[in-house]
Each structure stands twice: as structure tokens, then as C-alpha cells.
Amino acid sequence: MTTHMHHGWSESFWVSSALMVAALVYLRGWLRLRRHEHGTVEGWRAGSFVFGLLLIWIATASPLAALDHEMLTAHMVQHLLLMTLAPPLILLGMPRKPLARPGFLQAIGRPLRSGPMRQFASAVTHPALCWFAAASTLVVWHIPSLFMLGLRSQMWHGVEQVSFLATGLLFWSPVVRPLQNSVKWPEASLLLYLFLATLPCDILSGFLVFCDRVVYPVFLSSPRSFGLSALEDQQCAGALMWTCVTVVYFIAGAVFTARLLSPQRSPDRTEDIAIPQFDLRRIVVRQADPHKLEAV
């Protein structure tokens, strides 16, 4: 059994502090924006963002996080929170207008609007790259040797968790789409995108459920929490992964399909939106050019 305690008081304190600061900064900017533009800033976005941060805290700094080196199911809950549940909530919480003050935006806006930065952002948020990054992260960190590395090393354990969250944000960005992406894919392709994303999860979860041996021997010497043997814990982790991923992706696909088939959609509209992110009531089409959209 590993003797490293990855979730000591000090680490939990710093993670909790960082998440609290992020929540306060967001809420301060959200309140300022709502005060100046009353009625145009949706309240549910703040709730979505803060709830996403709460899920990150549960995965990384709560008492649950201390069980990840004793139970594979606890590790799987962390993985699902960081990669499947928290990212879409955080992206949905992003408002249409920036929360930072104008002076700060002017200071950083010019470099971010440069050609190389736009090309870099377009490449990073390409759907194919987002899918590959999420799938490869999932597979690589569940290879037994790398899985054990994450358990034994505090540094690599942190890298593992950060990679889960980062690739989760990348994966969900084409679906939630907080920013307009220069890559224009057919809208219906997002259904294929979500379906293909379930395949690595199904393969891994099926292997964990139906394998007749313990894949990660470190859990053989762990305390039998909740009365589960190591093999039963492994089967529970695989079943949890398959169920959660299937339900979340099905809900995302159903929401997108409903919007795609909505009779209120105009065939001439050019915005590429999957799950609601922008305030559509404040987007109008210029009469001079029906292919240009301008936010007012």
C-alpha cells in the first residue's frame, strides 16, 4: 500500500483557497456586469460556474479525495467530476460578455487578437484535437504503470488531475462553445463527436467490469472500505464510469438534437451553437449582409 498522502491538509487548503478566489473573482465581475446590464445577464450562469468549481473541490480537496489511493471507485468519481461533469458547467457559466474591467481587457486584448494567437486558439479548439486529447488522457492514465505513478508521486498525481480537467474543458468546448470557433463543422457532426467519445469509456469500463482479476494490485492491500473487495471495487468503478458517461453524453446529445430540430430555427442563421451559450435575443442580422451577425 502506498504511504504517500496526496490530500493532506496543506494541499487541500491551497486548492480550496484557489477555488474560492476564482469563485469570488467571477461573482464580483458577474455582479458588476449584471448591475450595468440588468436583465441581459442570466443568473443561472453564475450558479453553473460556481457549481462546477464545487465539483472540482469535491474531486481534489474534499474528504472524498483522500480515498483515491484506497478505492478505485473513489478515483473514478474524481475522474468523472473533473472530466465529465465540472467542465460543461464551467463553460456554460461563461457569460457572453467579458467579466473583466475595460482597462484590463485593453491591456491584454491586443496580443490575444493577434493573428498567431487566433490561429493557435483555432488549432487547439479543433474538434478532432479536442476528442483525441480527451480520449488519449483517459487511456494513458489508466495504464497500470502510469496509474501507479500517479498514486506514488504527489507531483504526478497533480499532473494527472490537471490533465483530466484541462482535456475535459477542451472536449466540451466544441459542444458548449463559449467562444465562436473559426472551424465550421456541420452541426449534426457533434452527435457523432459525442458518440465516438463514449467508445474509449465503454471499452475501459467494460474491461474493468468483466475482467476476472484485479487490474491495479495496489488495491489488494487497501482496507476493505464499504465492505467491498478489491475486485468488487473495480467492478463498481467500471459500472459507475459507463453509467455516468452514457447518461451525460445522452443528455447533451438530446439537448442538441432538440435545438437542431426546433421549428424556430432559421435555415439562414449562421451562428454555430450546440448547447445554449449566447443570449440570442440580443443578436440581430444586418439587413445589408445576411451572413453577418452583430451583437448589440
Side-chain angles (χ1 to χ4, degrees):
M1 176 179 175
T2 180
T3 59
H4 292 270
M5 295 297 295
H6 300 303
H7 301 285
W9 180 88
S10 177
E11 182 179 351
S12 297
F13 171 78
W14 288 113
V15 172
S16 301
S17 300
L19 292 174
M20 288 181 63
V21 169
L24 291 175
V25 170
Y26 174 90
L27 291 175
R28 183 173 181 269
W30 181 83
L31 290 173
R32 179 182 62 82
L33 187 61
R34 189 176 180 86
R35 187 166 54 247
H36 288 92
E37 300 190 23
H38 181 70
T40 66
V41 181
E42 303 92 333
W44 63 267
R45 294 196 187 278
S48 176
F49 187 89
V50 173
F51 188 56
L53 293 182
L54 175 62
L55 294 184
I56 295 176
W57 178 82
I58 293 174
T60 58
S62 74
L64 170 69
L67 295 175
D68 71 332
H69 62 290
E70 297 180 4
M71 294 184 66
L72 181 60
T73 301
H75 170 84
M76 194 62 69
V77 171
Q78 285 184 307
H79 156 221
L80 293 171
L81 291 175
L82 292 173
M83 207 170 186
T84 306
L85 298 177
L89 291 173
I90 290 176
L91 293 176
L92 283 170
M94 295 295 182
R96 185 172 60 88
K97 292 191 175 183
L99 298 176
R101 292 185 176 275
F104 177 76
L105 292 177
Q106 292 175 359
I108 67 172
R110 183 172 297 178
L112 293 179
R113 289 194 301 267
S114 63
M117 285 301 297
R118 287 172 179 258
Q119 294 176 359
F120 175 76
S122 177
V124 169
T125 57
H126 193 287
L129 178 61
C130 294
W131 184 92
F132 179 78
S136 59
T137 299
L138 170 71
V139 172
V140 165
W141 281 113
H142 285 91
I143 296 174
S145 58
L146 293 180
F147 185 92
M148 291 300 301
L149 178 63
L151 286 180
R152 293 194 176 109
S153 168
Q154 183 172 353
M155 182 191 72
W156 284 109
H157 187 263
V159 171
E160 177 186 14
Q161 292 186 326
V162 170
S163 65
F164 280 153
L165 180 60
T167 55
L169 290 168
L170 277 179
F171 171 80
W172 283 102
S173 60
V175 181
V176 180
R177 213 175 299 278
L179 296 174
Q180 289 290 354
N181 193 321
S182 60
V183 179
K184 299 298 182 183
W185 281 35
E187 287 187 319
S189 66
L190 283 178
L191 295 175
L192 180 62
Y193 179 84
L194 290 169
F195 170 74
L196 292 177
T198 65
L199 298 183
C201 299
D202 290 346
I203 294 172
L204 177 60
S205 59
F207 175 72
L208 293 176
V209 168
F210 296 108
C211 185
D212 58 356
R213 62 180 180 84
V214 177
V215 178
Y216 308 109
V218 65
F219 294 114
L220 289 171
S221 58
S222 299
R224 294 187 60 177
S225 303
F226 304 101
L228 296 176
S229 67
L231 185 59
E232 292 170 338
D233 174 40
Q234 176 177 294
Q235 294 169 342
C236 181
L240 178 65
M241 180 183 188
W242 182 86
T243 303
C244 181
V245 169
T246 300
V247 170
V248 171
Y249 288 8
F250 176 80
I251 292 175
V255 172
F256 172 71
T257 302
R259 288 180 54 81
L260 190 64
L261 301 178
S262 173
Q264 298 179 352
R265 286 177 57 90
S266 170
D268 295 331
R269 290 173 65 177
T270 59
E271 70 271 15
D272 192 13
I273 301 173
I275 294 177
Q277 176 63 24
F278 298 99
D279 187 355
L280 299 180
R281 294 172 300 178
R282 296 179 57 83
I283 297 181
V284 297
V285 180
R286 282 189 174 182
Q287 296 296 330
D289 188 348
H291 298 291
K292 278 191 175 182
L293 293 178
E294 180 180 10
V296 297

